[in-house]
Amino acid sequence: MNMKILAVTACPTGIAHTYMAAEALEKEGKVKGFEIKVETQGSIGIENEITKDDLEGADVVILTKDMAIKGKDRFKGIPVVNVAIGDVIKKTGPLLDKIVDHLSSKK
C-alpha cells in the first residue's frame, strides 16, 4: 500500500529521543515504500517543518505523545495517531504495520 505519512517527534529533553524517533520512522518508512516526512520539535526548535504542501494528500499523521506538540491544529481532517516516543524508536516496523492495517480497514 502506497502511503503518505507525516510525523512530528518531540521528547521532554528535546535531544536524543526526538531525533532517534525521526530517524527510525524515516528509515522504516523508506523500507516499506512509504512517502514520509518527519518534523522534529527539539531543544533547538522546529526542524524539517511540515508545510501546507506536505499536508496535501497525507494519509496519516503520527505524533509522539510524551510532550505537547506545537501546531497540532494544522492536521485537521487527517487521521492522527498518538504514540509513545519509546514505541516509535523500539517498535517502528510493527507500529507502522498496525497504523496501515487500521487505516486500510476503514477504507
Side-chain angles (χ1 to χ4, degrees):
M1 178 180 209
N2 188 20
M3 294 201 66
K4 181 175 180 182
I5 299 172
L6 302 176
V8 182
T9 62
C11 70
T13 54
I15 308 169
H17 288 98
T18 300
Y19 300 101
M20 288 167 61
E23 187 178 325
L25 284 168
E26 288 167 348
K27 191 171 165 185
E28 190 66 30
K30 285 181 182 149
V31 166
K32 294 183 179 301
F34 300 151
E35 181 182 339
I36 189 160
K37 178 169 181 175
V38 184
E39 173 181 303
T40 55
Q41 295 186 1
S43 57
I44 58 173
I46 295 173
E47 295 179 286
N48 202 32
E49 189 166 3
I50 291 170
T51 66
K52 286 187 180 187
D53 286 345
D54 295 325
L55 295 169
E56 282 296 313
D59 293 296
V60 66
V61 178
I62 300 169
L63 303 177
T64 56
K65 63 182 180 181
D66 304 77
M67 66 176 292
I69 297 292
K70 296 177 185 91
K72 278 196 214 179
D73 54 330
R74 62 193 149 150
F75 304 124
K76 280 190 175 102
I78 304 170
V80 173
V81 178
N82 294 290
V83 295
I85 201 158
D87 288 344
V88 172
I89 295 166
K90 295 177 190 150
K91 304 173 186 171
T92 318
L95 177 72
L96 288 178
D97 290 342
K98 188 174 181 181
I99 291 168
V100 170
D101 290 346
H102 181 72
L103 289 173
S104 298
S105 69
K106 288 192 161 199
K107 287 188 175 179

